[in-house]
Amino acid sequence: MYGVPRAKDKMLKFSHSSRYFLFVAVILYFTSIILLSIESVTYIGSIHKHIGINTKLVEIVSVIPISLLIYGAIKARKYNNRNICILLTTSTLIFIGTAIIYIALLALEKITYNNFVYSHLHINLKAVVNLYSYSMLIFLISSLLYYFLSQRIRFFIKRHFNTLLMVILGLLEISILTEAFLVKGFVSENLLVDPLSILSLLISSVVFAEASGVKIGSVLIKHMRVAGAVSVIALLIYLCFMFVETNNYNNYVYSKFHMDLNGLLYFSTSNSILYLSFINRELILRLVKTSRGKLSNENIKILKFIIVSSVFYYLISNLPQTINRLSENTTYIALNANQTYEDKVRYRWPFIYDYMMFVKNNTEENSVIAVPPMVRPWLTEGNADMVRYFLYPRKIVTGEINTFPKEADYLLLAKGSWPLDENSSYGWPKISITVKNIIYYHGEHGEQREVCCFYDSNSADNQNSWGLIKL
Amino acid sequence: MNTLTLLLSLISVLAWGRLLLGKKELFYSMSLGFLIYSSLLTFLLFIFGWAGMNINEHTLFLLTSLLGIFALIINLVLGWRLKFEIAKFDIDKLCSLEKLVLCMIAVLLFSSLVHGFYWPAVDWDSIALYDSRARFIYSTEELSSIVFRSYYLIYPLGTSLLHTVVYIIGFTTPLFLYTLYFACFLVCYYYISAESFGNKYALASSFLVAITYSLYAHAQIAYTNLPYSIFVSLGLITLFRSIKKIEARQWLISAMLLGFSSWYRITEPFWVLAVIISLIIACYHRKIIIFLPYAALSVIARYVWVAYQSKYLNDLSSQESLITTYIEKIIGNLNFDSIWTVFVYTWNNAVAQSGWLIFAFLASMVIQYMNAKRVSLEITIQLLIIFGMYALLYAGSYFYYSEEAFETWLTYGDSLRRISMVFPPLLIYFTFVNLYEKQRYK
């Protein structure tokens, strides 16, 4: 009833340029959809390769006429046209269609294995993501355009503001909680919808609602109180889990309870911001009103809505991370107040620090020590500058995969602390040589073993060992 | 002697703050004094070290005495006593939300300070570069102890020498300095904001800066990005305030802050923008002569460091040839796919780091434009600062995109995010200025 504009809506003739823009927009929109669909069943860049048309360029250009229409709509605010309604309906249908296809393919990929969709159905999932995101963008833009043009839709939103807000808030909180219990970014990365950005828009709409003549219902007030209470409970749970995590090891809570602590904090913080901004909405609105430009001007109101939403988004995206860092630090320090300098460095560099101390204790201050090259798997122990920090004033020189500088008195016997890539293998040096002796290192409390007088680089034992070779 | 040096430093901080600011507010003077004095101290320590003096407690004592006495004499000549006032702050007049905001800022800073006194500087780049250099200089007492490795000469010695000073005085960790920097920045930011648009909004804008995750996280690691961002953003904000009226102090403070930003990081070219903007402002006020000291102060630390670098690095290219190479590389590889790829990359790693603040800034600017009904110099300068800096980052990303393998290039995103820490304070300040600045159009 409210969705379709009727003759009752204030209707002014669509200007000639607007019609032209709309025509161009529709043509470019369909062209982009077709091109992206072709890329989905072939590969990204296939259109450019065979026809010479850059799909991304067409996508970007197609947004320009629609954006100009929006500008016209905001500026004029009084024309209406059935063509816009057609654009909205078409873009909605295409968006729903692509969303269903994308989610189905994504689910298929998740329950089978990586690259299943491409190998069995010959559909490029990345190209489908492009199609989905593009159709979502056009859907959002045309909805916005429709919102500015149709008084009926604005009336509908005002009338059902409380219900709409609670439904969307409920969905958002479920998605934020899903991220807390699965993994952060689950919804935003897969569905390309950022719950926090929608939440910040909703919070701003609550602040602006009363200024636009919307009455806040008692159910919504109760909902906000619940949000406030939930935020406190979630914060307490977060603090308990943080305590548990600090007492055990990094990522302990996630591995045992499958709960992302950061996600939980996002849930708590976003709810508390929602509650605090709700109870202080008059104050915030007063701050908005005292700024330059009168709120009675509709265009200024839109601009101020953008500003308030941006500030809320900034708060929601930064505050949880900052609080998380604060609580991590504080909990750790509170539980380990008496740690020595060595303990602290060892905590940050668990294996490397002890290994470096072992090397330091077994070499003279004026010695020259060769380290492996800084490639996988020796990205840390092959970093001469890092090694020098621990072993100064000893001279550190960097070796190659199969050689080492002649000036070296010692060589690090380094298995490698990073995972391998396709071109690498564990163990350095990779050259068999006669040496004075080899001291093997078996951890801080392990027994040190000395061997004389040949280093065999092909021995599996040597390839998987840590130690020091004296030349 | 170390206790005396510490005491002298405290007096110097106050004297320099009073001298530069000419105001009696204790916290503001102390904060600005600390930022400028710490940079000046390490810069002179570097000059002394380069001249062959040992960097030890005696040199440090000599320098702190010289700097302190110099500032005190100038203060006396100008007839100023080191008498300060603490701005009256009636906590009862604040609403509950404002009290909560203040409380949160205090908790954040206190926790960060505790962290700073607890942890040594053990993050990757601190170990590999910044703290390494500090420890080598501290243990050998010689500046030349770092010249054997070209990697140690890539970045100026600002933070490293500050670490050395901290070790000489007797502290075991320099990490708390970064929280001090952050706290001083917040205080300066608050006072500048309060002068621009009043206490209430200043508190709100300072709170937004205080909770900025990238800044807060960097207050707890010994990297150069935080000091650099602080100096650049404060320098540009102070410069922006000169549009209305050029005041000698603001002009000098801005030039010193921007000049000393190059004492922490030399690779980012934001100082060029500051020099251009200062020229525009000087021309606007028809006082072109004042551009010269500004330009000189902005580049002095940079050129002294480049001179030192070129003494030891044989393959150091000149700035002009580097710029020519950059432009050639960028123009030589222009095509739509590259332009778009680099745009998305820069957007994700630089612009999106500030959340939607860029939209808030643009919206506030449109409001200001609608009010003024003209494009004022303020709008032009704001646009020049923000988009000029983004354009420089884009050009830099494009250069590396053309230069490096794609996989290597992708790993630079982290560096780009760290460089982009400079944007949130600027965007927040400009948004608030556009919305709330008093009596702009009278």
Side-chain angles (χ1 to χ4, degrees):
Chain A
M1 180 188 172
Y2 295 105
V4 182
R6 301 271 169 86
K8 269 186 181 176
D9 277 358
K10 277 188 184 175
M11 246 177 84
L12 253 90
K13 281 182 183 175
F14 216 50
S15 70
H16 186 70
S17 58
S18 302
R19 279 178 193 282
Y20 176 73
F21 278 132
L22 186 66
F23 178 71
V24 174
V26 170
I27 295 287
L28 286 170
Y29 173 53
F30 279 107
T31 313
S32 300
I33 291 289
I34 292 165
L35 294 179
L36 286 167
S37 306
I38 294 171
E39 284 200 343
S40 301
V41 289
T42 52
Y43 58 89
I44 297 173
S46 59
I47 301 286
H48 189 239
K49 193 178 174 187
H50 292 103
I51 313 174
I53 298 173
N54 196 312
T55 322
K56 192 55 81 184
L57 191 62
V58 180
E59 275 181 59
I60 295 166
V61 171
S62 73
V63 176
I64 296 170
I66 304 183
S67 308
L68 288 171
L69 281 172
I70 291 207
Y71 173 71
I74 293 174
K75 209 173 172 192
R77 295 196 138 263
K78 47 192 176 185
Y79 56 73
N80 204 344
N81 192 287
R82 202 163 287 274
N83 294 336
I84 299 289
C85 193
I86 294 168
L87 176 70
L88 175 67
T89 317
T90 318
S91 62
T92 310
L93 287 175
I94 290 178
F95 169 60
I96 293 171
T98 49
I100 291 170
I101 293 168
Y102 169 61
I103 292 168
L105 292 175
L106 188 72
L108 197 63
E109 183 104 345
K110 293 271 177 201
I111 55 175
T112 53
Y113 55 85
N114 257 354
N115 222 22
F116 175 86
V117 172
Y118 187 71
S119 55
H120 285 78
L121 305 174
H122 296 288
I123 294 175
N124 190 318
L125 203 57
K126 278 188 181 169
V128 178
V129 173
N130 288 347
L131 180 64
Y132 166 72
S133 59
Y134 176 71
S135 61
M136 182 161 65
L137 177 72
I138 300 296
F139 163 71
L140 288 175
I141 291 177
S142 45
S143 309
L144 204 61
L145 185 57
Y146 188 66
Y147 174 81
F148 288 126
L149 291 179
S150 168
Q151 279 190 342
R152 281 179 174 275
I153 194 75
R154 289 205 294 275
F155 179 67
F156 176 85
I157 290 173
K158 265 187 193 177
R159 191 170 167 189
H160 299 286
F161 181 80
N162 289 278
T163 321
L164 280 172
L165 192 77
M166 277 191 294
V167 170
I168 302 173
L169 271 178
L171 286 173
L172 279 177
E173 294 196 350
I174 290 169
S175 66
I176 295 173
L177 264 183
T178 311
E179 293 205 343
F181 280 99
L182 290 166
V183 71
K184 190 183 169 295
F186 181 80
V187 178
S188 47
E189 278 167 20
N190 288 317
L191 300 183
L192 310 181
V193 177
D194 181 11
L196 298 182
S197 54
I198 299 176
L199 187 65
S200 43
L201 289 172
L202 286 186
I203 297 174
S204 310
S205 63
V206 172
V207 171
F208 279 81
E210 282 172 317
S212 308
V214 173
K215 278 191 176 175
I216 302 290
S218 58
V219 184
L220 186 62
I221 294 173
K222 278 179 192 162
H223 185 107
M224 292 298 173
R225 282 183 190 150
V226 171
V230 163
S231 75
V232 176
I233 295 166
L235 185 67
L236 289 174
I237 297 173
Y238 164 81
L239 289 174
C240 293
F241 277 123
M242 177 56 76
F243 182 79
V244 172
E245 173 123 333
T246 316
N247 258 332
N248 289 282
Y249 54 85
N250 239 353
N251 226 21
Y252 174 81
V253 172
Y254 189 74
S255 57
K256 284 276 175 191
F257 306 99
H258 220 275
M259 180 185 279
D260 175 33
L261 276 180
N262 218 7
L264 189 63
L265 194 60
Y266 267 96
F267 179 72
S268 164
T269 320
S270 50
N271 270 304
S272 58
I273 291 173
L274 179 67
Y275 174 69
L276 283 174
S277 49
F278 181 76
I279 59 170
N280 289 293
R281 61 189 186 281
E282 281 175 14
L283 172 75
I284 299 169
L285 197 64
R286 213 165 43 238
L287 291 179
V288 172
K289 277 181 178 170
T290 50
S291 63
R292 196 158 284 130
K294 287 180 180 169
L295 211 57
S296 52
N297 180 333
E298 282 296 318
N299 294 339
I300 295 270
K301 197 190 268 180
I302 293 168
L303 291 168
K304 288 190 174 175
F305 181 83
I306 293 172
I307 294 170
V308 174
S309 307
S310 308
V311 170
F312 276 124
Y313 183 71
Y314 195 71
L315 274 174
I316 294 175
S317 52
N318 277 277
L319 205 53
Q321 294 185 73
T322 306
I323 294 176
N324 191 38
R325 192 167 179 109
L326 181 147
S327 53
E328 265 178 12
N329 290 341
T330 316
T331 326
Y332 185 85
I333 294 171
L335 293 175
N336 301 281
N338 296 323
Q339 277 197 342
T340 60
Y341 173 84
E342 285 74 21
D343 294 332
K344 291 170 195 168
V345 185
R346 190 176 289 121
Y347 177 78
R348 286 289 168 94
W349 298 96
F351 171 78
I352 294 295
Y353 176 71
D354 287 322
Y355 177 51
M356 287 296 131
M357 289 306 107
F358 156 80
V359 176
K360 192 174 185 177
N361 294 335
N362 287 287
T363 50
E364 305 79 37
E365 281 199 349
N366 59 353
S367 54
V368 180
I369 302 170
V371 299
M374 206 173 97
V375 292
R376 275 179 190 270
W378 309 288
L379 289 175
T380 306
E381 54 281 0
N383 184 332
D385 301 305
M386 179 164 285
V387 172
R388 190 176 294 114
Y389 176 83
F390 294 107
L391 301 181
Y392 192 78
R394 291 154 190 80
K395 189 176 176 186
I396 310 298
V397 289
T398 305
E400 302 290 328
I401 296 269
N402 296 312
T403 58
F404 54 84
K406 281 180 184 170
E407 57 178 317
D409 304 318
Y410 293 93
L411 305 179
L412 287 193
L413 170 57
K415 178 192 168 190
S417 56
W418 284 66
L420 297 174
D421 60 13
E422 62 271 20
N423 302 318
S424 58
S425 61
Y426 284 123
W428 191 83
K430 292 197 179 298
I431 178 172
S432 301
I433 38 169
T434 308
V435 298
K436 279 187 183 158
N437 68 338
I438 307 168
I439 313 172
Y440 289 95
Y441 172 70
H442 296 286
E444 190 197 356
H445 305 294
E447 192 186 329
Q448 288 181 17
R449 184 164 57 94
E450 282 195 42
V451 174
C452 183
C453 294
F454 183 74
Y455 170 77
D456 180 9
S457 64
N458 296 318
S459 138
D461 192 28
N462 281 339
Q463 284 171 0
N464 289 298
S465 292
W466 293 89
L468 186 68
I469 300 170
K470 186 170 186 182
L471 297 169
Chain B
M1 185 182 270
N2 289 334
T3 317
L4 199 60
T5 308
L6 200 60
L7 200 68
L8 267 171
S9 293
L10 186 66
I11 295 168
S12 300
V13 164
L14 287 169
W16 277 93
R18 179 81 172 88
L19 185 63
L20 286 167
L21 211 57
K23 286 178 184 168
K24 288 182 176 178
E25 278 105 347
L26 178 67
F27 294 127
Y28 193 9
S29 302
M30 256 181 109
S31 302
L32 189 72
F34 176 74
L35 293 177
I36 298 288
Y37 171 77
S38 57
S39 310
L40 202 57
L41 177 70
T42 51
F43 187 66
L44 290 178
L45 204 59
F46 164 70
I47 301 283
F48 276 41
W50 192 6
M53 282 182 78
N54 281 356
I55 296 179
N56 53 24
E57 54 184 349
H58 303 293
T59 314
L60 186 62
F61 180 74
L62 177 73
L63 258 178
T64 43
S65 314
L66 282 177
L67 282 172
I69 290 165
F70 175 78
L72 282 172
I73 288 173
I74 302 283
N75 269 311
L76 281 175
V77 168
L78 294 171
W80 295 337
R81 289 178 195 166
L82 283 187
K83 195 177 171 186
F84 292 94
E85 289 168 0
I86 296 176
K88 283 177 188 169
F89 203 71
D90 196 350
I91 206 127
D92 296 332
K93 281 187 182 171
L94 299 177
C95 72
S96 54
L97 198 62
E98 288 170 322
K99 283 177 190 165
L100 181 71
V101 160
L102 259 184
C103 195
M104 279 185 75
I105 295 177
V107 170
L108 283 175
L109 288 180
F110 179 72
S111 152
S112 186
L113 198 63
V114 171
H115 177 276
F117 279 110
Y118 180 84
W119 284 104
V122 282
D123 294 289
W124 188 290
D125 281 2
S126 326
I127 281 189
L129 180 63
Y130 307 121
D131 199 49
S132 276
R133 297 190 302 190
R135 283 175 183 270
F136 301 160
I137 294 170
Y138 172 62
S139 59
T140 58
E141 298 188 359
E142 284 173 11
L143 194 66
S144 55
S145 62
I146 59 160
V147 298
F148 67 94
R149 173 99 170 100
S150 59
Y151 175 64
Y152 291 141
L153 297 176
I154 290 177
Y155 289 108
L157 284 163
T159 54
S160 296
L161 280 175
L162 206 57
H163 289 200
T164 310
V165 169
V166 164
Y167 291 135
I168 291 172
I169 290 176
F171 290 98
T172 52
T173 169
L175 211 55
F176 67 92
L177 283 172
Y178 294 82
T179 304
L180 283 186
Y181 266 128
F182 187 49
C184 291
F185 171 59
L186 282 180
V187 172
C188 291
Y189 192 87
Y190 171 80
Y191 276 97
I192 292 173
S193 302
E195 282 170 5
S196 301
F197 38 78
N199 293 348
K200 197 176 277 256
Y201 306 115
L203 184 63
S205 65
S206 306
F207 174 67
L208 287 177
V209 174
I211 58 137
T212 303
Y213 177 70
S214 52
L215 292 171
Y216 184 69
H218 274 259
Q220 294 160 22
I221 53 175
Y223 282 21
T224 48
N225 299 85
L226 180 76
Y228 179 78
S229 303
I230 286 173
F231 278 75
V232 169
S233 52
L234 276 183
L236 285 172
I237 287 171
T238 322
L239 182 61
F240 174 78
R241 295 184 73 214
S242 302
I243 296 175
K244 267 187 189 167
K245 187 186 171 190
I246 294 183
E247 284 176 15
R249 283 177 197 289
Q250 275 194 13
W251 197 248
L252 178 71
I253 291 170
S254 171
M256 285 182 95
L257 286 168
L258 279 156
F260 279 130
S261 71
S262 301
W263 183 226
Y264 296 96
R265 290 182 75 80
I266 204 164
T267 44
E268 288 86 341
F270 296 149
W271 62 277
V272 178
L273 266 179
V275 172
I276 293 170
I277 291 166
S278 68
L279 180 62
I280 293 172
I281 294 174
C283 289
Y284 177 72
H285 288 286
R286 292 175 187 167
K287 290 179 180 172
I288 199 129
I289 195 79
I290 60 163
F291 163 70
L292 298 174
Y294 191 96
L297 275 173
S298 299
V299 298
I300 191 163
R302 178 181 189 82
Y303 279 98
V304 169
W305 176 251
V306 170
Y308 185 73
Q309 266 184 326
S310 53
K311 189 181 169 193
Y312 296 102
L313 299 180
N314 299 324
D315 56 345
L316 191 73
S317 311
S318 73
Q319 300 286 307
E320 292 74 18
S321 68
L322 269 178
I323 292 167
T324 317
T325 319
Y326 276 24
I327 293 169
E328 276 171 6
K329 281 273 176 193
I330 290 167
I331 293 174
N333 292 292
L334 274 182
N335 63 64
F336 176 75
D337 274 338
S338 313
I339 291 170
W340 180 252
T341 309
V342 178
F343 175 77
V344 173
Y345 178 81
T346 314
W347 181 274
N348 288 338
N349 291 301
V351 187
Q353 284 306 298
S354 310
W356 295 352
L357 284 181
I358 185 74
F359 301 122
F361 162 66
L362 290 173
S364 72
M365 219 167 55
V366 175
I367 291 176
Q368 209 224 74
Y369 168 74
M370 284 165 83
N371 255 43
K373 305 252 184 319
R374 66 189 169 87
V375 179
S376 58
L377 184 65
E378 278 102 334
I379 291 183
T380 316
I381 297 288
Q382 285 179 16
L383 282 174
L384 193 61
I385 290 175
I386 299 298
F387 288 100
M389 285 162 82
Y390 280 134
L392 286 170
L393 287 186
Y394 181 84
S397 303
Y398 204 100
F399 171 75
Y400 285 110
Y401 178 78
S402 336
E403 188 82 353
E404 305 277 357
F406 186 69
E407 294 302 320
T408 317
W409 175 71
L410 285 179
T411 62
Y412 294 154
D414 195 35
S415 307
L416 196 53
R417 283 195 289 278
R418 289 204 296 261
I419 296 170
S420 308
M421 276 165 50
V422 71
F423 288 103
L426 288 171
L427 289 170
I428 292 167
Y429 179 80
F430 289 148
T431 305
F432 274 76
V433 158
N434 290 337
L435 290 176
Y436 298 110
E437 197 183 18
K438 306 162 196 168
Q439 299 171 339
R440 169 164 292 189
Y441 302 109
K442 284 187 179 174

